Structures are given as C-alpha cells and as structure tokens.
Amino acid sequence: MTSSPARLRDADTPPGVGVLGTLLTDLDRQEFARDHWGRSPLLTRGASDFSDLFSADAVDELISRRGLRTPFLRVAKNGATLPASSFTAPAGVGATVADQADDTALWRSFADGATLVLQALHRTWEPVADLTARLGTELGHPVQANAYVTPPQNRGFDDHYDVHDVFVVQIEGTKRWIIHEPVRRDPLRDEPWTERRSEVEEAAKSDAHLDTVLAPGDVLYLPRGWLHAAQAQGAVSIHLTLGVHTWTRHALAEQLAQAALALLRDDPQMRESLPLGTEGPADELSLVRERLLAALSHTDPAPLFHRARRGQARPAPLGPLAQLRAVDGLGPDSRVRLRGSLEPRLEERRLHTRVGWLDFPEPDLAAVRHLLDGRPRTAGELGLDLVARLLRVGVLVPDGP
C-alpha cells in the first residue's frame, strides 16, 4: 500500500506563529481568508513598526555598496521604465561586469523625479528575505519583494493591475493610493494589464473604490486584478511590495493535463500516425477524447505540482565554511536542524526538497521524520552517519554559531 505523503512545516517557522496577523494585518489567518483573500482590498493602519525591516539607509547601502546588477533594479518615470543602459556602468578594474548599478546615474535620475525600484529584495536584504520566507510558508504561495523609492510629488507607474496579490508596506514618507475595481477578475499570469490598456484607462476615470494616503507602518492588501496608482506626497516615499504569486485552479488543471499527456506517451494507439488522407481531426476526436479522459481519471498531478512549487523559491542561505566546520567537527553532541524553506516532503522512503531528493533505508526513516518536525536535534539522537550525509548535501545545517 502507498502511504500518503507527509507535508511538513519548515524549520524556521515556529508553530502557531504567523506574520500575517502579527505584522501585516490585525486579522488572524482564518478571518483574512474568509473576508479578503483574493476578494477585496484591506487597509490596516499602524500594522507594525517596520524600521528594522527596511529603511532609507538600506536603500543607500544597496545602491552604493552592494554592487547590484540588473535586473535587481529598475528606474521608472512618467509611467515608463527607463533603459538599463541609462543607470548602469562597467564595474571597473578586476570585475568584468558591464551592468552594475551606477550610483551617480541613479542619483541624477532620482533627483529628476524618477522612481527607483529595488527588485527581488528577498535575495539581497536579509530581514526582507526572512519575512517573505515566513509569509510564503504561512500562505502556501510563493512571495517575493520589491522596494519602490519615489521622490516627492512623483509617481513611478500609471494606473495598472498586477497578476499577483500584493501587500504594500509603507516604510518611510507618505504615498497616496487610488484603487479601482478590476476590469478583469482574477487575471492569470499570461493576462497582463497591457492587454487591456484602454479598459484600464477608462476605469481609472471612474469613482475610486479607495482613495487613501499610506503613512509609515500602514499596510494595504490588494488582490490581483485591482487597479492602482500611487503618488508620493511631500517627502520621499519608500514602500515594499510583497508579491504573492498565487497558485490557481487553472494552474492545477495545467499540471493535471501535463501529467495526463505524459501518461499517453506510452499508449500505442496515441503514438500512431493519423491515417493517410485525413482532412481533419473530427473522425479521430472520439478516440482521443476517450483516451484523454481515461488518462485524466487515472493520473496524479501531485508530483508535477510539488516540483513546480519547489522550483518557485530558494532554500534558506547556507554558508559553505560554516557547513564545512560542522562536518569536520561532527560529534554526538553536535546540534543540527533542518535547513529553512526547503519545502520538505517525505513520500515513502524518498525525501523531496528544494536541493534535490534522497532515498533512505528503512532504519533511518524514524530519524528523518524527527528532523522534519522542525526542532533542533543532536547528531547522537539521529545517528552520526545520517547527519553527516544530510550536512554534506545541504539538507541539515548547524544549529547555532
């Protein structure tokens, strides 16, 4: 008998603790899901103090000292994105990198009214990376983060909608947000607003659903499809956009269809050529439908779904030198834990993670299940050989300094 897969909590998310209700809204997960998730905007005043999450100093450090390259940053002005060549330059002696951020060019663009967009902050700024990892685990959908830095009285983009949900987190300054109802409900990833530009422009002329100014600490949730435009007020505005890339039933249907088509590859009749002289598919459709429906009823899209899900994010950072010290110094008292954000999934004797899969002998399975509960363990509890193997492949990391 095939055992049901175990979906297990990541080690870096303490049980019962969620950022949705403690940092971003004043609702618990159930209330948010019932009243707002994918349905309607939610404005939360004074949700949290985000000064430790991001700041103006963080913006300056990322732009001037971190050697950012495109596409980790964009520049927008008057509703259009400027070409990367206008704000990048070669890195200089010893670095054959032609597209690093040019801080002088960025300063001049910013002083001239352009918005600076720091993209994929979940890869470049640790506090934001920690928040997005926890939020993604809590929501069950991958999360990424951008920062928008807008000069006073300017706007970076015209009215538009996103094909993902967003949490707007105001960090510094104030920004006016004008929200209109969707022209396309629940747009899919291949339905960008530019395909409905005229509808968007017309809808933006109507009465707003919400017209408000966000101050530091405020959070605005917008489901995908809701039209929005934002303008900084009397000072520089910095806000984070946490983009939630939602899985949809349509995406699950795509996974199911792919799995069924893969099954049909081994059907001898489906591999045959159509008869000579066939002018159209009508006389073959009944057979194809019959075989396709049979495949759909027998196939399991779960492996494709989980593989795609694991591929949408990265595991928590791993330091190679710390990892080597852990391997070399391994002893019965060494404390280890599951690496964060691995999306671990145990199916019978196979462990699937974001760093690959591993098969285990029966005697090791109890120890593996202990690890997957997220609590730190000693190598003596789990077995030195097992711990050494999992450290080497990057599934376990040392617990503590």
Side-chain angles (χ1 to χ4, degrees), residues 280-291:
D283 52 348
E284 295 292 331
L285 276 179
S286 59
L287 173 63
V288 172
R289 283 198 181 99
E290 176 186 336
R291 290 290 198 272

Side-chain angles (χ1 to χ4, degrees), residues 19 21 69 93 99 109 116 121 139 149 215 256 260 269 301 334 365 376:
V19 298
R69 303 174 61 187
V93 174
D99 61 349
S109 295
L116 310 182
L121 280 179
L139 297 178
V149 187
L256 181 61
Q269 284 191 284
S334 300
L365 290 178

Side-chain angles (χ1 to χ4, degrees), residues 283-363:
D283 52 348
E284 295 292 331
L285 276 179
S286 59
L287 173 63
V288 172
R289 283 198 181 99
E290 176 186 336
R291 290 290 198 272
L292 181 57
L293 287 172
L296 287 170
S297 65
H298 289 94
T299 194
D300 179 8
L304 279 174
F305 173 82
H306 292 298
R307 190 182 311 143
R309 179 187 172 92
R310 286 192 294 270
Q312 288 185 321
R314 294 169 62 93
L318 180 149
L321 300 186
Q323 202 75 1
L324 179 60
R325 287 194 300 270
V327 172
D328 289 345
L330 187 63
D333 296 329
S334 300
R335 292 179 61 81
V336 294
R337 60 178 174 84
L338 188 70
R339 185 178 177 184
S341 302
L342 275 183
E343 283 286 328
R345 188 176 180 84
L346 186 63
E347 298 177 350
E348 296 186 341
R349 295 186 180 184
R350 177 164 293 182
L351 177 66
H352 297 270
T353 76
R354 283 197 168 116
V355 294
W357 56 264
L358 293 168
D359 287 330
F360 298 95
E362 187 69 35

Side-chain angles (χ1 to χ4, degrees), residues 127-155:
V128 174
D130 291 342
L131 174 63
T132 56
R134 293 179 62 191
L135 182 60
T137 298
E138 184 177 355
L139 297 178
H141 299 263
V143 178
Q144 54 89 219
N146 295 344
Y148 294 80
V149 187
T150 306
Q153 307 301 330
N154 279 274
R155 63 193 290 177

Side-chain angles (χ1 to χ4, degrees), residues 126-207:
E126 184 175 359
V128 174
D130 291 342
L131 174 63
T132 56
R134 293 179 62 191
L135 182 60
T137 298
E138 184 177 355
L139 297 178
H141 299 263
V143 178
Q144 54 89 219
N146 295 344
Y148 294 80
V149 187
T150 306
Q153 307 301 330
N154 279 274
R155 63 193 290 177
F157 299 95
D158 292 333
D159 294 271
H160 66 284
Y161 66 76
D162 295 318
V163 294
H164 52 268
D165 292 20
V166 297
F167 288 90
V168 178
V169 180
Q170 190 68 27
I171 301 295
E172 295 194 14
T174 57
K175 205 164 198 179
R176 181 187 179 192
W177 285 77
I178 302 176
I179 312 300
H180 289 87
E181 294 198 11
V183 298
R184 172 68 164 168
R185 288 276 176 182
D186 300 324
L188 301 175
R189 291 194 184 280
D190 59 354
E191 297 178 323
W193 75 273
T194 49
E195 293 184 352
R196 291 177 164 78
R197 189 184 296 272
S198 60
E199 295 175 70
V200 169
E201 291 173 350
E202 190 62 29
K205 299 174 185 177
S206 63
D207 292 339

